[in-house]
Amino acid sequence: MQNLFLDPGDWQCPGAMGIIPNCLALSEAAADRALFTRFVPAWAVDDAQGAWKSFYQRWASVTGSQAGLDQIEVVTTLRHLAVPERTFDKATYGAFESAAFASYIRQKSPDNLVLYGIETDVCILATALKAVDLGIRVMLPRDALASSDTTSHQMCLDHVYPRLDQQIDITDTQTLLAEWSRS
């Protein structure tokens, strides 16, 4: 939930504003456990390696030098919950590619992770698949997920995630909040 995906620009996610209340409710309900990741684009196209170079050639407008550092910040509505010790920067899609995030998860050894935010079919997908590989159950509140590609978003919720139904649960914000209030 970064400015990069909510502010007008090449990566603006049309459904992002609509999920903020649910993301806020989930984060506040688990404020002492809420983790935030920030996708940090390459500063310039020439700083990227391998296939990321052609990616940033296509998306040069989102590089740090063009978009500005404010774009990587967590949106204002959630920023008060994004404390430094639980905010992790990553240069790729998956949160586990951040050594600090992976270490934090290893140390806490959770049975499950609730993933929400942007984008259902990119960062959420990459993180969910790695969590599954690590044996961590994943819960996805569909009403707290969005993507700039609504077709791909829906395909993931309807076809990709259900394919992993022994490891990934698709739920909603109210169901999760109700479960948390009982435990």
Side-chain angles (χ1 to χ4, degrees):
M1 297 301 293
Q2 296 170 260
N3 293 330
L4 185 61
F5 302 104
L6 278 85
D7 290 349
D10 284 342
W11 281 5
Q12 184 179 28
C13 178
M17 295 303 286
I19 67 168
I20 287 177
N22 290 332
C23 292
L24 179 61
L26 291 164
S27 296
E28 286 181 334
D32 61 330
R33 298 182 316 268
L35 308 179
F36 290 83
T37 60
R38 300 185 313 172
F39 180 78
V40 180
W43 182 252
V45 172
D46 289 337
D47 294 339
Q49 303 296 313
W52 286 101
K53 188 177 249 11
S54 61
F55 176 86
Y56 285 115
Q57 286 169 339
R58 163 64 180 90
W59 298 109
S61 65
V62 301
T63 59
S65 61
Q66 288 192 35
L69 294 177
D70 179 61
Q71 291 300 292
I72 67 167
E73 292 301 328
V74 172
V75 296
T76 304
T77 309
L78 298 168
R79 198 170 299 157
H80 68 286
L81 296 162
V83 296
E85 59 272 14
R86 290 192 316 271
T87 300
F88 304 93
D89 289 348
K90 60 192 183 77
T92 62
Y93 301 133
F96 286 94
E97 298 309 310
S98 159
F101 180 88
S103 175
Y104 187 93
I105 295 297
R106 259 192 321 275
Q107 178 188 22
K108 297 296 181 183
S109 190
D111 293 328
N112 56 64
L113 288 176
V114 178
L115 303 178
Y116 51 93
I118 303 168
E119 297 205 26
T120 312
D121 52 332
V122 183
C123 295
I124 299 290
L125 178 60
T127 302
L129 291 175
K130 183 62 177 184
V132 165
D133 283 348
L134 294 172
I136 302 169
R137 186 161 197 78
V138 173
M139 290 177 279
L140 300 171
R142 69 171 52 247
D143 56 353
L145 296 167
S147 178
S148 57
D149 183 330
T150 56
T151 300
S152 185
H153 162 85
Q154 202 59 52
M155 293 286 286
C156 280
L157 290 172
D158 292 344
H159 301 288
V160 176
Y161 295 124
R163 175 81 168 85
L164 303 167
D165 64 347
Q166 299 302 303
Q167 297 140 324
I168 296 177
D169 291 323
I170 299 172
T171 185
D172 61 71
T173 299
Q174 291 308 311
T175 300
L176 278 173
L177 293 173
E179 286 176 19
W180 292 348
S181 69
R182 285 191 299 268
S183 49

